[in-house]
Amino acid sequence: MPSVLVSLQWTTSGLDASTACPRARSRLWRSRNLRTGWRSDALVNSATRPLSLSGSEYRVLVEQAPILIWRSGLDMLCDYFNQRWLDFTGRTLEQEMGNGWAEGVHPDDFDRCLEIYTTHFRRQEAFEMEYRLRRHDGVYRWIFDRGVPFSIDGVFAGFIGSCADVHARVEAEQALEERRNEERARLQT
């Protein structure tokens, strides 16, 4: 059963509350499991109107999203990194451009990272990988990177990727695996 919005009319001393106090104008939200709550008209209207962002709003969205974003062109060279990426690495856009970003990849992960990227780029197929990337303080952090091909007017134009710091998860998985191995060794003796 779909959720239903029910408009309420409030009256106080014969006055319509929506005209006496615009903030009192609300809608009751009733869902299938009968939970109820109040939603203001502003929330309802913003949820139902088509999304339209200005250029500056779009830039804020891309630059301040809590993920690292990159883009590469047809030559496989990176031509864009968002501000979060630059803040994370502590490097300038000029330093990261082209293949400069790869200077921050951990040496043990570099060949695998490059192989995944180039193979999927040539096939124009999305990829996912994890590798260590040097943070601005010199510490390598595990990063989850997902890249997808993008098109302009239906023609392949390169890749766009987003990365998230997954270091805590990777360390927890490694610690758990070490404990399992220790337990197996203990049980075998």
Side-chain angles (χ1 to χ4, degrees):
M1 172 190 270
S3 299
V4 179
L5 280 178
V6 179
S7 293
L8 295 180
Q9 293 294 322
W10 291 20
T11 57
T12 307
S13 305
L15 295 174
D16 180 354
S18 65
T19 57
C21 179
R23 296 178 112 183
R25 196 173 63 216
S26 298
R27 293 186 181 187
L28 178 66
W29 178 260
R30 186 172 285 249
S31 64
R32 180 177 173 187
N33 61 4
L34 300 179
R35 287 180 295 167
T36 60
W38 297 99
R39 296 178 56 100
S40 74
D41 288 338
L43 287 176
V44 173
N45 291 339
S46 68
T48 58
R49 72 171 183 251
L51 182 60
S52 175
L53 298 175
S54 69
S56 62
E57 289 172 320
Y58 182 76
R59 178 157 292 287
V60 166
L61 179 69
V62 171
E63 294 300 326
Q64 295 183 18
I67 56 173
L68 313 178
I69 299 174
W70 58 268
R71 182 183 70 187
S72 63
L74 291 173
D75 56 4
M76 289 194 203
L77 300 175
C78 289
D79 59 9
Y80 173 79
F81 296 90
N82 73 342
Q83 190 60 49
R84 294 284 183 196
W85 177 289
L86 300 176
D87 292 344
F88 182 88
T89 62
R91 292 168 44 102
T92 65
L93 182 60
E94 292 74 23
Q95 291 172 312
E96 295 293 273
M97 295 288 279
N99 287 324
W101 67 273
E103 294 173 13
V105 175
H106 192 282
D108 293 345
D109 301 332
F110 180 80
D111 289 337
R112 178 181 52 81
C113 182
L114 188 61
E115 177 63 26
I116 291 169
Y117 175 70
T118 57
T119 299
H120 286 81
F121 193 97
R122 280 191 221 106
R123 294 179 185 161
Q124 299 178 15
E125 294 176 346
F127 67 83
E128 294 180 351
M129 64 177 158
E130 290 182 0
Y131 56 92
R132 289 164 286 183
L133 184 64
R134 189 174 47 241
R135 192 171 57 185
H136 59 86
D137 59 2
V139 173
Y140 283 97
R141 303 280 297 180
W142 282 100
I143 299 296
F144 173 78
D145 189 346
R146 177 166 171 71
V148 296
F150 76 95
S151 301
I152 297 175
D153 297 325
V155 178
F156 174 68
F159 265 68
I160 295 175
S162 62
C163 304
D165 185 331
V166 294
H167 194 79
R169 179 190 54 83
V170 171
E171 282 191 331
E173 288 173 352
Q174 290 172 345
L176 182 60
E177 186 62 28
E178 286 178 27
R179 285 191 203 109
R180 286 181 181 151
N181 291 337
E182 290 169 1
E183 186 64 20
R184 281 188 207 113
R186 187 183 66 75
L187 291 173
Q188 290 177 354
T189 57

